[in-house]
Amino acid sequence: MKFHAIVPVKTLYQAKSRLAEVLTPAARHALVLEMLERVLRTLRDPAIGLEVIWLVSADPVVLEAGAGWGALALHEVGGELNLALEQARTAAFAAGAEAVLVVPGDVPLMTPEDATAMTTMLVAGADVVIAPDAANEGTNALGLRLQASIPFSFGLASAMRHQAEAAARGLHVTIYHSPTLALDIDRPAHLVRYRALTLERAAS
């Protein structure tokens, strides 16, 4: 099965606004690029076997940085996350993908094993694979076969919406729980945990 990945990233001035109380704009921009580099380097692991990693964003700085880390830059035209993902999915399937992994750029602790587990589930017969956040509400990664044409519903309670859309179409859904994928960096407490876990990894 030919797999592509899609990594969406907001413009730097929009990203991580909920961290404004603890980070300056420059620090938030640096954090976004740091997390993106981690995600892209993880997805480039040859053990995963991804043919293309699409980076979709309206920010030229993000696209240039991502291209340097091995992603194929796709300039966002929709102006909204779910529209951008639809744009990227269309491009991926037109380029020969048989399944896609959607991985937001703010899950920096994701491992190659996470991605491989999700692709394995798709190969084994799942049409949709959902990796929820720690609260089991948001979607921190999403795997889709070509025929699983559910609409993207990223946002509040997206894991439940993605599951409902798949069920309504009679698609086989698998839920993938992962402590490394469950942490997305949206709030100060998430940032503190991310920094602590990063230090632990570096020391081990």
Side-chain angles (χ1 to χ4, degrees), residues 3-121:
F3 285 96
H4 290 201
I6 298 171
V7 180
V9 178
K10 291 181 179 180
T11 58
L12 291 176
Y13 80 89
Q14 291 177 309
K16 301 304 159 195
S17 59
R18 284 180 284 187
L19 296 175
E21 62 186 85
V22 295
L23 294 178
T24 65
R28 295 200 304 274
H29 296 175
L31 175 64
V32 170
L33 294 175
E34 172 193 328
M35 294 191 296
L36 174 61
E37 181 179 7
R38 284 179 173 271
V39 169
L40 292 179
R41 289 192 185 281
T42 295
L43 292 172
R44 283 177 55 197
D45 190 304
I48 303 170
L50 295 171
E51 294 203 354
V52 181
I53 302 169
W54 300 83
L55 173 63
V56 58
S57 178
D59 194 311
V61 174
V62 169
L63 293 174
E64 182 178 359
W69 296 321
L72 183 61
L74 182 63
H75 190 271
E76 176 187 334
V77 296
E80 190 270 333
L81 172 60
N82 292 308
L83 292 176
L85 290 172
E86 192 57 60
Q87 175 191 351
R89 172 165 61 180
T90 299
F93 287 142
E98 296 173 288
V100 295
L101 289 184
V102 178
V103 183
D106 63 350
V107 287
L109 296 182
M110 181 187 188
T111 66
E113 292 75 19
D114 287 324
T116 301
M118 294 183 70
T119 59
T120 299
M121 291 171 179

